[in-house]
Amino acid sequence: MKKYERFLEGERVYLRPYHHEDLDFFYNGLYIFDTRKLTGLKKVYSKEFMGEYFAKISSDESRIFLVIADKENDELIGDVEINDIDWMNRSANIRIQISNENYLSKGFGTEAMKLLLDYGFGVYNLHRFDLEVYSYNLRAIKAYEKLGFKQEGRKRKNHYYHHEFHDTIMMGLLKEEFQPLTH
């Protein structure tokens, strides 16, 4: 098995750049119903489109797009990303997607988010992160709150999925609310 670089490392996961060999994993992840529902994905994409998209975002200087892997066995878990960076106000959006059902609800995503938040606050000197989560994604809301995110607002019934409308919850985290990693 090919060994990959480890850009950020935690206790159980590491984050690394995307490689073309990862495409099958992410493409197949589009066909997991829970992943689509939790992220709100509605469109169907071709494998060629996905390959071009990942090549584009992984080389985009205005975002940090990283693959999440299991530290023990290098198995792919999903991805995490900082995007929409506003340098003037030192704020950005953060998002995560777990594309491997074996890693849901076990703290791997929370650890990956904490690694990237620590990097964003400690290296990029960002002051604030925000994200949006659908009201039915209680597991993610709980994980974000565990990281220190606070609910800041709600877009009522603005997301249609599986025959009904759902709220979108807006959450934010300030640097002083974050518990940094100890190195």
Side-chain angles (χ1 to χ4, degrees), residues 103-164:
Y103 289 88
L104 289 169
S105 296
K106 296 180 181 170
F108 289 91
T110 302
E111 183 178 337
M113 284 282 284
K114 185 155 187 157
L115 284 169
L116 195 54
L117 286 164
D118 190 68
Y119 185 77
F121 286 132
V123 177
Y124 268 52
N125 195 25
L126 294 171
H127 176 68
R128 172 191 167 75
F129 279 99
D130 59 59
L131 58 82
E132 291 187 348
V133 60
Y134 302 119
S135 55
Y136 55 76
N137 194 347
L138 301 178
R139 179 175 51 213
I141 293 166
K142 183 178 174 185
Y144 298 145
E145 288 174 341
K146 185 175 169 185
L147 287 164
F149 279 86
K150 308 277 188 269
Q151 291 191 26
E152 298 180 332
R154 181 179 288 261
K155 296 178 190 173
R156 297 174 303 129
K157 295 188 176 187
N158 78 317
H159 175 68
Y160 186 78
Y161 209 92
H162 210 256
H163 306 282
E164 61 185 306

Side-chain angles (χ1 to χ4, degrees), residues 25-38:
F25 170 78
F26 286 110
Y27 183 70
N28 292 335
L30 294 176
Y31 294 95
I32 299 170
F33 176 78
D34 281 345
T35 299
R36 287 195 319 272
K37 180 181 179 190
L38 296 176

